[in-house]
Amino acid sequence: MNSRRSRIRSSALAATAVGFLLLGAACGSGTPGDAGAAGEPVYGGTLTFLDPVEYQAFNITNTLWSNTQVTPQLVDRLTYQDPDTGEIEPWIAESWDISDDGLAYTFHLRDGVTFSDGTPLDANAVKANYDQHGFGAPELGIVKDAFFGSYAGTDVVDDDTVTVRLSSPNAGFLQVTSIYRSGLLAQSTLGKNLDAQGQIANLIGSGPFVLESSNSNQEIVLKRREDYDWAPPSSEHQGRAYLDRIVFKVVTEGSVRTGSLQSGQAHIARNIQPYDEELLSGSGIDIIAKSVDGETNHLNIHQTAPLVADKNVRLALQAATNRQEIVDTVLSPNYGVAKSILPQSSPWFSDNSDALTFDLDRAEQLLEGAGWKVGADGIRVKDGQRLSVEGYVAPFYQPSKATWELLAEQWKKAGVELNVKQVDYGTYTKTVAEKGQPFSQSQLSRAEPDVLRTSYDSTLNNVTFVADPRLDELVRAQAAITDPAQRKAAVADIQKYLIDNAVVIPLYDETQIFAVSPTVQGFGTDPVARSEFYGTWLSEN
């Protein structure tokens, strides 16, 4: 499992005294008669989870880190991906068959599963969900889902059987059916438009929890669904969830999150600041560092933007980026130094660190060769234009601002001016989508190398804003290969191409840090560090 859990107790570190914002967090309200001893799961209690990022629209395909700690608790998927082995296992689909040509997947569904509104999760429901992903719903304002790139339709065979058709073989398709963003929704949700689907009260799934209340995207309260009885067969726990409730609360101030954990007013906090990790460990809080499968945290380079269209400029920026210094200065030892576009924890990773070595001399030579000469103030100039670019702080990555500020210091040594901008979430998402902006800080999570096709195929997300025929060829070829060794070689070719051509600038292996009270038992995540609370319980009851 790609995680590290540590607790370093130290009497020298005292709890931080702060004023807490938590209200109504009914910790320790166990069910009478429960065993109440650590090691023996007990039912009951309310778990409080703190997140630094405000919740946004709760559409199932919204990948915002804060949102996706919540939505997986409300939905189930056709299949389950084991977070330790990566294997795809049955869930709502008891079994499946794949045609010899790889173009048809027939799923045999579990009987008796219902959505929380009482309607059946049957073949028609699966078809409605997958059609909306694969085709979009323009009349509702819903666009096609890039994860369903080769989707050709779903046929209902009978109430418990569906056949999903693809237009081309996709070795990664089965994994798509396990992703949190493929969570199955009731027809009552699917019939609503984009904005209405984004309201969490309208998100009706078949998961182990249902919505109890919400408060202006600042606090979400889920309660246990008492009749839930269709967990993945491989789960050690079956039947209803242990916890009575989960309170998800946005707390942006780091010291408040830290103090709330230390005082016992909260149980888990996501993405605590790197400098708080040791403090919390010293006060008896477990630190769980989960390396996220998918892409590394990186800068996408929008090649339609001025200046960075020049490959030598991009290569110079890559050489001027000191990744080890980013980890040492901005992050913590729990984060890995990026050595490719895929993280080192991925079984598909190939080491491209030789091409990512910090080399200021090489950066300067590349810029000189591209005609950029050092000006009076140290910033390079060409044809009267300064080598000056902008970078926007990503509001959903806690270390983003510090990372950009360090990059500005590093790139300045090569004669590049980087102006760091910080705006609100809405402005950010609009600004970085404009083709004039040179960079976007990004990381797409998915425990399957086809994530690279989703990002870089010019007909899918196309994050570079240009059509690169060779890159299209590479990302599409890997999807058609079923032999693991051959596919791994093809995925390695993609990673090398992205680095050698400076299509991206990898920064660090994306890692989610969870600070967890020792009273929390059975907490886990899926392969991309989204919380799983179905088997979680509180030993304090």
Side-chain angles (χ1 to χ4, degrees):
M1 187 173 182
N2 304 320
S3 65
R4 283 171 278 183
R5 183 165 180 152
S6 63
R7 187 190 307 171
I8 307 170
R9 294 186 181 278
S10 170
S11 58
L13 297 174
T16 301
V18 296
F20 303 141
L21 300 178
L22 302 177
L23 298 173
C27 303
S29 56
T31 301
D34 286 336
E40 294 295 330
V42 295
Y43 287 90
T46 296
L47 182 145
T48 300
F49 183 102
L50 306 184
D51 203 292
V53 179
E54 184 174 340
Y55 305 112
Q56 302 294 327
F58 277 95
N59 302 84
I60 196 66
T61 55
N62 188 340
T63 59
L64 191 67
W65 279 105
S66 53
N67 280 38
T68 51
Q69 307 302 318
V70 179
T71 51
Q73 323 309 325
L74 299 169
V75 297
D76 298 321
R77 281 83 83 186
L78 275 187
T79 63
Y80 176 77
Q81 187 172 27
D82 187 299
D84 295 325
T85 67
E87 293 296 317
I88 305 299
E89 302 175 353
W91 192 350
I92 298 304
E94 290 182 315
S95 62
W96 50 85
D97 308 300
I98 304 174
S99 64
D100 291 341
D101 60 6
L103 297 177
Y105 289 68
T106 297
F107 295 95
H108 306 281
L109 308 183
R110 199 166 177 162
D111 188 36
V113 179
T114 59
F115 294 105
S116 60
D117 65 359
T119 57
L121 198 173
D122 57 11
N124 284 308
V126 174
K127 173 179 170 54
N129 276 271
Y130 280 23
D131 279 354
Q132 197 158 101
H133 281 283
F135 299 140
E139 71 281 8
L140 301 176
I142 296 170
V143 299
K144 295 179 181 178
D145 181 355
F147 280 61
F148 283 70
S150 54
Y151 182 78
T154 293
D155 299 325
V156 174
V157 179
D158 57 41
D159 285 348
D160 299 323
T161 312
V162 291
T163 296
V164 179
R165 292 177 283 104
L166 305 179
S167 59
S168 59
N170 179 357
F173 176 73
L174 192 60
Q175 194 269 343
V176 171
T177 67
S178 74
I179 306 173
Y180 65 89
R181 56 183 286 142
S182 299
L184 298 164
L185 302 172
Q187 300 273 8
S188 58
T189 299
L190 298 173
K192 291 182 168 55
N193 65 29
L194 178 68
D195 290 340
Q197 286 195 24
Q199 298 174 27
I200 193 168
N202 293 328
L203 199 159
I204 306 299
S206 60
F209 293 90
V210 296
L211 179 69
E212 181 173 279
S213 64
S214 65
N215 181 11
S216 302
N217 286 349
Q218 293 293 315
E219 180 176 299
I220 307 294
V221 181
L222 305 185
K223 64 179 179 181
R224 180 173 58 210
R225 183 174 171 185
E226 297 296 338
D227 64 345
Y228 185 82
D229 194 20
W230 39 82
S234 61
S235 173
E236 292 182 3
H237 176 50
Q238 297 291 322
R240 62 177 181 154
Y242 291 121
L243 295 169
D244 285 337
R245 288 180 180 78
I246 311 170
V247 176
F248 294 93
K249 191 176 183 67
V250 175
V251 178
T252 57
E253 180 57 46
S255 63
V256 177
R257 294 199 306 277
T258 300
S260 299
L261 280 167
Q262 291 173 312
S263 71
Q265 292 185 319
H267 298 93
I268 301 177
R270 185 184 71 84
N271 265 21
I272 58 171
Q273 297 289 355
Y275 50 79
D276 282 335
E277 292 179 17
E278 185 174 355
L279 169 68
L280 287 170
S281 291
S283 58
I285 303 296
D286 289 347
I287 302 299
I288 297 178
K290 173 70 179 176
S291 179
V292 181
D293 212 337
E295 299 172 332
T296 57
N297 196 300
H298 63 277
L299 302 184
N300 283 319
I301 302 181
H302 304 161
Q303 296 180 31
T304 54
L307 307 181
V308 295
D310 186 333
K311 177 181 172 180
N312 284 329
V313 172
R314 302 198 304 271
L315 287 170
L317 295 178
Q318 196 173 79
T321 300
N322 187 340
R323 294 163 186 80
Q324 186 65 58
E325 187 179 33
I326 291 174
V327 170
D328 292 344
T329 306
V330 176
L331 303 172
S332 78
N334 281 318
Y335 293 77
V337 175
K339 297 181 177 179
S340 186
I341 185 61
L342 296 182
Q344 298 169 62
S345 59
S346 169
W348 304 91
F349 163 79
S350 62
D351 192 346
N352 286 271
S353 55
D354 287 348
L356 294 173
T357 301
F358 169 60
D359 189 339
L360 190 57
D361 290 341
R362 181 169 186 265
E364 292 174 336
Q365 291 169 7
L366 284 163
L367 292 173
E368 286 287 334
W372 292 96
K373 306 300 181 185
V374 177
D377 63 352
I379 302 303
R380 294 178 180 272
V381 179
K382 178 180 178 182
D383 300 329
Q385 184 179 15
R386 288 167 62 82
L387 187 48
S388 179
V389 292
E390 293 181 342
Y392 279 79
V393 174
F396 28 78
Y397 300 126
Q398 278 58 64
S400 180
K401 186 172 185 289
T403 301
W404 276 111
E405 289 174 343
L406 181 55
L407 281 174
E409 294 177 13
Q410 293 176 352
W411 291 1
K412 187 176 182 180
K413 294 174 183 175
V416 180
E417 182 179 58
L418 171 62
N419 296 307
V420 179
K421 306 284 187 180
Q422 187 166 19
V423 295
D424 61 59
Y425 179 85
T427 305
Y428 175 84
T429 55
K430 180 180 178 182
T431 301
V432 298
E434 295 173 355
K435 295 182 179 179
Q437 286 300 320
F439 311 107
S440 61
Q441 189 178 1
S442 180
Q443 187 275 331
L444 190 59
S445 307
R446 184 183 168 193
E448 225 293 327
D450 198 44
V451 68
L452 298 176
R453 184 170 66 103
T454 304
S455 287
Y456 298 102
D457 190 312
S458 62
T459 65
L460 298 176
N461 285 351
N462 190 23
V463 295
T464 65
F465 293 136
V466 297
D468 181 334
R470 177 56 179 158
L471 185 53
D472 279 344
E473 179 183 7
L474 288 171
V475 297
R476 293 168 189 171
Q478 60 77 29
I481 301 172
T482 55
D483 179 81
Q486 293 179 17
R487 191 171 183 225
K488 186 166 185 175
V491 173
D493 288 343
I494 301 170
Q495 295 175 73
K496 180 174 173 50
Y497 185 88
L498 291 171
I499 303 303
D500 286 352
N501 292 278
V503 178
V504 298
I505 299 179
L507 298 175
Y508 55 88
D509 286 356
E510 177 61 45
T511 302
Q512 290 290 297
I513 306 293
F514 297 92
V516 182
S517 163
T519 61
V520 176
Q521 312 297 328
F523 170 69
T525 72
D526 72 4
V528 291
R530 270 64 181 189
S531 298
E532 292 183 340
F533 290 110
Y534 171 66
T536 302
W537 55 281
L538 298 175
S539 59
E540 65 188 4
N541 290 323

